[in-house]
Amino acid sequence: MTTINLIATAPMGLEAVVARELKTLGYTDLQVENGRVRFTGQPIDICRTNLWLRTAGRILVNMGEFKATTFEELFEGTKALDWPEWIPEDGEFPVNGRSQKSQLTSVPACQSIVKKAVVEKMKDRYGTEWFHEDGGRYVIEVTLMNDMAMLTLDTTGAGLHQRGYRKVSTEAPIRETMAAALVDLSRWNPERPLYDPFCGSGTILVEAAMIAWNIAPGLRRSFNAEGWPLVPHELWDEAREEAFDAVKDDIPLQIAGSDIDPYAIEIAEAAVKKAGFGKEIKLKVMPVAKIKPEGDYGVIITNPPYGERLGDDKDAEMALMQFGRSALYLPTWSFFAISPSASVEHYFGKPADKKRKLFNGRIQCNYYQFFGPGGAFPNRKKNN
């Protein structure tokens, strides 16, 4: 088939990180936009990117884009696209939608129009009046922005952050994709110790271990596009075999974490064990004031508690203060913390070497980066 236009969706602020991941995987024709990175590929690339991307949200097939200021334009533009190339006669094709800064503001109406247009196109191709929709799942999304319509097919299903190792969440979880991004942005490498003093359900620790061992984050899960006629099982088998062969589980890990909440550590232990790092990642119940991570030139990457997140400003401020104080006793370590608090630099007694605006869920945060004597680790080894 011809080249497929693909989109990797990206959380706000992580577009450049997703683009860097795609480059590492060998994709070169990238267009970075707000909330997404466009690239091109073949059916096998749907498999590879779903399996390998750590910080993206979903992989979409871009079916087409056109101007749509009226329902008629939306209908005709949608019907002109080649839906039967992707969707078989028994395919289930629900339609989701969103609209911003466009004349067509009613999302339910737009979804209905798109559904009717796809049905008409399918009728023409398959010569039938009724579709049972009891086969594979092909989720269509219509996105209207500035009167331009973009129609996509979701190859992923449940978001890429759902790796499969975390069954229960703590009170304030961080998404797996964001945790992977924090590790990536820190430039940590497995030759250095890594510690999380507010480890919660252990997500940052697990994501770091998966990066260290070059484990594709999608290996433990399934995707919408498995079994699609254009993305047959053989391609998924090939991509998974490549991913299994790429694992480097002989690299020693120095990864540990703690949390003041015993229930959080219980959840973290279950997640760590399910992810296959039960012997490698060390966990304990401990307040941040008493942490004593082992080794020199280590890295702390963490998501400290804060009032908006847990509802207690006083405890959150105390935790931040103790966290900042811990840096005094770890002079060779580097510290990385994502927080909406403006007090982080105050408690560290100095400005961060680098700050990056990120969104933890819907909460705007800064990723505060305090480099130790090792700097920003520009010589980090690449696993891919």
Side-chain angles (χ1 to χ4, degrees), residues 4-10 15 18-19 22-23 27-41 58-66 143 145 148-152:
I4 307 169
N5 293 316
L6 295 167
I7 292 170
T9 67
E15 295 91 347
V18 172
L22 283 163
K23 282 181 184 174
Y27 301 95
T28 55
D29 58 333
L30 308 179
Q31 284 180 260
V32 182
E33 302 173 359
N34 285 338
R36 62 190 177 221
V37 182
R38 298 173 185 256
F39 64 106
T40 57
R58 297 175 188 280
I59 304 301
L60 310 176
V61 176
N62 184 2
M63 295 295 293
E65 297 168 73
F66 50 87
T143 302
M145 173 70 79
M148 290 295 295
M150 173 189 285
L151 278 295
T152 59

Side-chain angles (χ1 to χ4, degrees), residues 102-315:
S102 296
Q103 293 182 52
L104 298 178
T105 56
S106 171
V107 172
C110 291
Q111 290 171 263
S112 178
I113 293 291
V114 167
K115 181 78 175 186
K116 288 176 183 175
V118 176
V119 167
E120 288 304 312
K121 184 72 171 196
M122 301 273 281
K123 282 182 183 178
D124 291 347
R125 181 70 57 91
Y126 295 117
T128 182
E129 289 294 312
W130 184 257
F131 298 95
H132 292 283
E133 298 194 43
D134 52 6
R137 189 168 171 83
Y138 302 77
V139 179
I140 298 168
E141 182 164 88
V142 51
T143 302
L144 288 152
M145 173 70 79
N146 296 321
D147 292 327
M148 290 295 295
M150 173 189 285
L151 278 295
T152 59
L153 278 177
D154 177 13
T155 74
T156 302
L160 288 176
H161 69 281
Q162 297 191 30
R163 320 283 207 218
Y165 63 77
R166 192 170 78 179
K167 292 300 180 189
V168 184
S169 292
T170 50
E171 191 173 359
I174 190 168
R175 277 195 168 186
E176 295 86 334
T177 41
M178 177 58 76
L182 299 184
V183 176
D184 181 274
L185 289 166
S186 79
R187 307 292 186 179
W188 170 78
N189 72 62
E191 293 174 6
R192 294 174 180 265
L194 186 148
Y195 194 89
D196 182 355
F198 304 104
C199 72
S201 52
T203 309
I204 290 173
L205 305 176
V206 172
E207 291 298 318
M210 291 174 71
I211 289 169
W213 280 8
N214 205 38
I215 296 173
L219 266 181
R220 296 171 176 267
R221 55 161 293 173
S222 59
F223 303 93
N224 267 6
E226 291 188 55
W228 286 11
L230 282 183
V231 196
H233 287 297
E234 297 79 31
L235 294 184
W236 289 99
D237 291 344
E238 179 186 337
R240 283 199 168 93
E241 192 172 335
E242 287 175 357
F244 277 117
D245 289 345
V247 173
K248 300 175 181 178
D249 57 5
D250 57 344
I251 294 173
L253 301 179
Q254 307 169 70
I255 299 177
S258 56
D259 200 286
I260 196 171
D261 181 0
Y263 178 62
I265 292 299
E266 193 179 311
I267 293 171
E269 285 174 341
V272 162
K273 186 176 179 182
K274 189 167 181 61
F277 298 106
K279 294 180 180 178
E280 283 75 25
I281 297 176
K282 313 300 181 189
L283 297 164
K284 60 176 67 175
V285 179
M286 182 181 291
V288 65
K290 295 187 177 181
I291 64 167
K292 291 182 180 177
E294 297 178 4
D296 293 321
Y297 301 99
V299 178
I300 284 180
I301 305 174
T302 194
N303 175 30
Y306 40 87
E308 285 177 79
R309 197 178 65 146
L310 295 179
D312 192 332
D313 289 311
K314 188 177 177 183
D315 286 351

Side-chain angles (χ1 to χ4, degrees), residues 323 334-339 341-357 366-372 376:
F323 176 50
S334 296
F335 290 75
F336 299 84
I338 183 171
S339 177
S341 173
S343 303
V344 173
E345 291 167 307
H346 168 72
Y347 290 128
F348 269 79
K350 59 182 180 180
D353 294 294
K354 198 172 182 182
K355 279 193 292 190
R356 187 186 188 110
K357 187 167 77 172
N366 276 310
Y367 190 35
Y368 294 93
Q369 303 169 54
F370 300 91
F371 303 139

